[in-house]
Amino acid sequence: EKYRVSEIKVKSLLTVGKANVAINAALDFRRQLGLPTPQKKASSKFTIIREYIRVKKLLKDKTAEDIANLPELDDELYEMGQRMNEHLATSVYLVEPTMYPLIIFQSVTTSLKHGLNSSSSPAFARLGMLLCGPFGKPHEGLEMAKAAELILERPGMRSSTSNTIFVTQSFCYHWTSPLQDTIEPLLKGYQVGLELGDNDRACFCLVGRMYYLFFTGRTLGSIQQELEAAANVMTQLKQEESKLKITILLSSVKKLRGLDPEASDKMLDSILASAAETRNNLSAYVSVMKLEVFVFFQQWKEAVDLVQKAGNVRLFLSSTFVAVRYTFLAALTYLKAAQSSSGWKKRQMKKCAHKTIQLIRGWAKNGNVNVVHYLRILGAELAVLNGKKEKAKESFNAAIAASRRIGFLQDRALAHELASAYFKAQGDEFWRNYHIECARTSYQEWGCSEKVEQLNVKICKGMIRRKRRSSE
């Protein structure tokens, strides 16, 4: 009974966005049980690696099937500790992400030593998440995700279905599979969560699905409709934290569509101001979406200011595709800043760009199909920076083709627009006009009305200039 009261308290605090207080409550309960409990503080890399090595030794060469066939946990004390760790993991991810690995390693260790319960499935899924993202071992991570899914098939494990789907689809599979493949499973996770009464994780799945719809280039009008419906659902379910993430995306979509952009800016700034003190995960989401808008509107000064002031955004979005997207946008921003700078600042921006691009190259080398077109776009802009004209032309064509293949409509539009700017600088009016027309068509198809208006003005000015030249 005491556990049930504590669990409700922790879940309620998390739902209303009080992650720090939820962590304190969860840690206190584990201490009362007499179970090993980490301190609430940032963990060093040394500590994380040391604990990972211990887990690695326990795992030995176990396959997903071996893990799923472990005996069932029959100790009530450890059962309560595991369930509390499940809530603790969600809380620390939001506000103290360096603690996150220690909580996961602890949960996995308990499962390996004492047996499986319903919390074991998300625990192994989260281990997979760590391996896919921070540890850079996606294939080992996917084996852990598979183990999590096999554990779900055992009797009595269904209560963790929504949570497991959320973790595997939001944090694991996009590292080697097309991002589009996560959309339907996340919808299923939302539906199953509602059926089971797991409203928190159901809404997590819905949030993940909405952001991934946006990043895969779904039309903005259709996304806005779904976002507005999702916000209403979350209001009814009293899921304040998830609703704020939906609001961040909805405000950005409206701005891209030219719908009351001032109100959208105020909303994002308001969320950022409140999140800066207590919810760093939320501030990271705001930074990503503000950068997204700056890049599409070619506001490079604002973009580089944001990137330099935002801090370690990837830390608070660990293993998500949101972090991958931010890395691409940051690299592009650094390249554009370097192109418009000279001297020390140019060298600094170029160095930052190279460092960020190396991360993306590493992901591509490990099998991430979703970043190939990112590398093509960045390769084109890097060639522009280095004055390699033929390389730039080839890379822009490759970027456009790769964006078309992956199906990310907004990135195809962006690649065309960047190519247009390059050819304009080279004095090549034919290819400048061709690419700007293609960009306008793609943005129009995406539903980015505000951007289409901007390009219409550019195209009209170009026509006027051409008429003047022909009449002289």
Side-chain angles (χ1 to χ4, degrees), residues 30 231 304 315 388 399 402 434 455:
R30 281 189 59 91
V304 76
L315 177 64
K388 297 180 179 179
Y434 168 78
L455 293 183

Side-chain angles (χ1 to χ4, degrees), residues 29-30 62 67 102 109 117 125 188 192 195 201 205 240 260-261 280 286 308 335 340 343 357 416 434 439 455 470:
F29 182 77
R30 281 189 59 91
K62 286 184 176 64
I67 293 168
L102 303 188
T109 297
N117 72 330
K188 179 185 175 184
V192 171
E195 289 173 13
R201 277 50 177 262
C205 287
E240 295 302 319
D260 203 354
N280 289 310
V286 174
Q308 290 180 322
L335 287 172
S340 61
I357 291 169
H416 274 298
Y434 168 78
L455 293 183
S470 61

Side-chain angles (χ1 to χ4, degrees), residues 5 29 50 125 132 136 154 170 189 202 230 243 258 260 280 295-296 331 335 394 405 421-422 424 441 458:
V5 172
F29 182 77
R50 183 192 65 202
C132 286
R154 291 177 53 153
S170 296
K243 185 182 176 183
D260 203 354
N280 289 310
V295 167
F296 280 116
L335 287 172
E394 293 172 7
R405 280 195 301 273
Y422 167 71
K424 179 184 178 182
T441 299
K458 283 186 178 181

Side-chain angles (χ1 to χ4, degrees), residues 283-332:
S283 63
Y285 271 92
V286 174
S287 295
V288 173
M289 294 314 302
K290 284 175 76 76
L291 183 59
E292 191 87 35
V293 173
F294 287 151
V295 167
F296 280 116
F297 288 156
Q298 308 284 285
Q299 295 172 295
W300 299 114
K301 183 181 182 301
E302 292 84 351
V304 76
D305 285 345
L306 185 152
V307 170
Q308 290 180 322
K309 293 175 182 176
N312 192 351
V313 170
R314 282 192 299 273
L315 177 64
F316 292 98
L317 298 169
S318 182
S319 300
T320 64
F321 188 79
V322 186
V324 173
R325 179 70 180 181
Y326 178 82
T327 306
F328 161 66
L329 296 174
L332 182 58

Side-chain angles (χ1 to χ4, degrees), residues 367-423:
N368 194 326
V369 298
N370 300 296
V371 301
V372 173
H373 70 295
Y374 290 168
L375 286 175
R376 298 288 182 266
I377 293 171
L378 296 172
E381 290 296 332
L382 187 59
V384 173
L385 176 61
N386 292 329
K388 297 180 179 179
K389 296 180 181 181
E390 287 304 314
K391 176 69 173 176
K393 291 179 184 179
E394 293 172 7
S395 297
F396 276 122
N397 287 333
I400 292 162
S403 299
R404 183 181 290 109
R405 280 195 301 273
I406 194 69
F408 289 17
L409 178 59
Q410 79 281 28
D411 293 336
R412 190 174 82 209
L414 178 63
H416 274 298
E417 187 178 10
L418 293 172
S420 174
Y422 167 71
F423 285 110

Side-chain angles (χ1 to χ4, degrees), residues 117-396:
N117 72 330
S118 60
S119 297
S120 298
S121 178
F124 280 99
R126 286 185 169 115
L127 178 58
M129 161 191 169
L130 293 174
L131 291 169
C132 286
F135 285 84
K137 299 179 178 182
H139 299 290
E140 290 182 29
L142 293 181
E143 186 70 10
M144 295 301 101
K146 181 182 176 182
E149 292 170 341
L150 290 174
I151 291 169
L152 279 182
E153 296 176 5
R154 291 177 53 153
M157 303 294 183
R158 189 168 183 265
S159 62
S160 293
T161 301
S162 184
N163 197 8
T164 301
I165 290 175
F166 167 64
V167 177
T168 57
Q169 299 298 330
S170 296
F171 301 97
C172 298
Y173 287 123
H174 71 83
W175 289 101
T176 57
S177 299
L179 186 63
Q180 293 92 329
D181 291 354
T182 66
I183 304 299
E184 285 304 314
L186 284 169
L187 178 59
K188 179 185 175 184
Y190 166 68
Q191 293 167 339
V192 171
L194 291 183
E195 289 173 13
L196 296 172
D198 190 359
N199 294 338
D200 296 1
R201 277 50 177 262
C203 289
F204 291 171
C205 287
L206 190 56
V207 169
R209 179 176 184 272
M210 296 311 306
Y211 274 87
Y212 288 3
L213 279 173
F214 176 81
F215 293 135
T216 54
R218 188 71 62 91
T219 58
L220 295 178
S222 65
I223 289 177
Q224 183 176 335
Q225 289 180 348
E226 288 202 44
L227 284 168
E228 289 169 344
N232 289 332
V233 168
M234 289 173 187
T235 298
Q236 293 171 15
L237 297 175
K238 298 180 180 179
Q239 297 290 319
E240 295 302 319
E241 185 82 11
S242 292
K243 185 182 176 183
L244 282 172
K245 289 176 183 173
I246 290 294
T247 302
I248 292 166
L249 182 54
L250 179 58
S251 297
S252 304
V253 167
K254 284 183 175 180
K255 186 165 185 179
L256 289 167
R257 299 189 72 204
L259 303 175
D260 203 354
E262 290 184 6
S264 296
D265 284 337
K266 287 180 180 178
M267 178 61 73
L268 291 177
D269 289 340
S270 172
I271 295 172
L272 188 60
S274 62
E277 297 179 4
T278 57
R279 294 191 291 268
N280 289 310
N281 178 256
L282 272 182
S283 63
Y285 271 92
V286 174
S287 295
V288 173
M289 294 314 302
K290 284 175 76 76
L291 183 59
E292 191 87 35
V293 173
F294 287 151
V295 167
F296 280 116
F297 288 156
Q298 308 284 285
Q299 295 172 295
W300 299 114
K301 183 181 182 301
E302 292 84 351
V304 76
D305 285 345
L306 185 152
V307 170
Q308 290 180 322
K309 293 175 182 176
N312 192 351
V313 170
R314 282 192 299 273
L315 177 64
F316 292 98
L317 298 169
S318 182
S319 300
T320 64
F321 188 79
V322 186
V324 173
R325 179 70 180 181
Y326 178 82
T327 306
F328 161 66
L329 296 174
L332 182 58
T333 297
Y334 286 133
L335 287 172
K336 299 303 284 189
Q339 290 170 15
S340 61
S341 304
S342 60
W344 176 82
K345 186 175 180 181
K346 181 174 184 176
R347 291 193 297 273
Q348 182 192 35
M349 292 295 101
K350 189 174 181 179
K351 182 179 179 182
C352 290
H354 274 295
K355 185 177 179 181
T356 313
I357 291 169
Q358 280 301 108
L359 270 178
I360 302 174
R361 283 176 178 157
W363 297 335
K365 187 177 180 180
N366 283 333
N368 194 326
V369 298
N370 300 296
V371 301
V372 173
H373 70 295
Y374 290 168
L375 286 175
R376 298 288 182 266
I377 293 171
L378 296 172
E381 290 296 332
L382 187 59
V384 173
L385 176 61
N386 292 329
K388 297 180 179 179
K389 296 180 181 181
E390 287 304 314
K391 176 69 173 176
K393 291 179 184 179
E394 293 172 7
S395 297
F396 276 122

